[in-house]
Amino acid sequence: MDNRQAIGSWLSGPRAAMEDAGAEFGHRGEQLGLPEEGPGSIARPGRRLGALAVDWSLCVLIAYGLITDGYGQATGNWALLVFFVLSALTVGTVGFTPGKRLFGLRVVALDTGQVHPGRGLLRSALLCLAVPALIWDRDGRGLHDRLARTVEVRI
């Protein structure tokens, strides 16, 4: 192995290095029984981030226009509270937030398919902490999804 291959495997991550060595991982969601593409497949990070940006913008707009007088630190804090309430109520009842619906995503429970309000509350609380959402497994599920036993799929 020359230096270019060693640096390339380091930059592309351990999964790519293992795949180059011959390991077979399958597609995202295969271990969960989900299809590779189309409806019911694992949501890709771009769509998830787009939905999060729409939801966060909506919450900042609500906090700015209805709760605080102008933009400041209090607006961000109120926006986080509005985001928590929005996420807990909508994910726990219908399975998606306005941003997720706009991007064609839905949160489902692994065992029943319907997100229980308690799971929606747990998932939303962990999402507001931000760190659990930054730790992903090989299927692309954040720690907040793993702990709540949910998965975000395409509609």
Side-chain angles (χ1 to χ4, degrees), residues 34-96:
L34 300 174
E36 185 173 1
E37 292 181 11
S41 64
I42 294 272
R44 298 288 182 206
R47 284 183 179 218
R48 294 175 76 167
L49 288 173
L52 180 65
V54 168
D55 290 336
W56 182 253
S57 299
L58 180 65
C59 293
V60 168
L61 187 64
I62 290 170
Y64 177 79
L66 299 178
I67 301 172
T68 63
D69 245 359
Y71 188 79
Q73 179 63 36
T75 304
N77 294 338
W78 280 105
L80 184 61
L81 180 65
V82 171
F83 179 79
F84 171 72
V85 170
L86 173 81
S87 180
L89 290 178
T90 58
V91 169
T93 55
V94 293
F96 51 81

Side-chain angles (χ1 to χ4, degrees), residues 5-151:
Q5 286 178 326
I7 291 172
S9 68
W10 176 77
L11 290 174
S12 58
R15 180 180 175 132
M18 290 297 293
E19 287 174 344
D20 289 344
E24 180 63 37
F25 289 111
H27 66 272
R28 289 181 171 200
E30 185 173 14
Q31 290 180 334
L32 304 172
L34 300 174
E36 185 173 1
E37 292 181 11
S41 64
I42 294 272
R44 298 288 182 206
R47 284 183 179 218
R48 294 175 76 167
L49 288 173
L52 180 65
V54 168
D55 290 336
W56 182 253
S57 299
L58 180 65
C59 293
V60 168
L61 187 64
I62 290 170
Y64 177 79
L66 299 178
I67 301 172
T68 63
D69 245 359
Y71 188 79
Q73 179 63 36
T75 304
N77 294 338
W78 280 105
L80 184 61
L81 180 65
V82 171
F83 179 79
F84 171 72
V85 170
L86 173 81
S87 180
L89 290 178
T90 58
V91 169
T93 55
V94 293
F96 51 81
T97 62
K100 288 181 189 352
R101 182 67 180 145
L102 184 66
F103 279 83
L105 304 177
R106 183 180 183 99
V107 178
V108 296
L110 287 175
D111 48 2
T112 63
Q114 181 71 20
V115 178
H116 185 270
R119 286 187 186 181
L121 186 68
L122 174 64
R123 184 182 187 278
S124 299
L126 292 171
L127 185 59
C128 286
L129 293 176
V131 173
L134 297 175
I135 302 171
W136 292 6
D137 64 4
R138 73 178 203 87
D139 289 321
R141 289 175 45 209
L143 187 58
H144 63 295
D145 276 328
R146 289 186 58 91
L147 291 175
R149 296 187 318 265
T150 59
V151 63

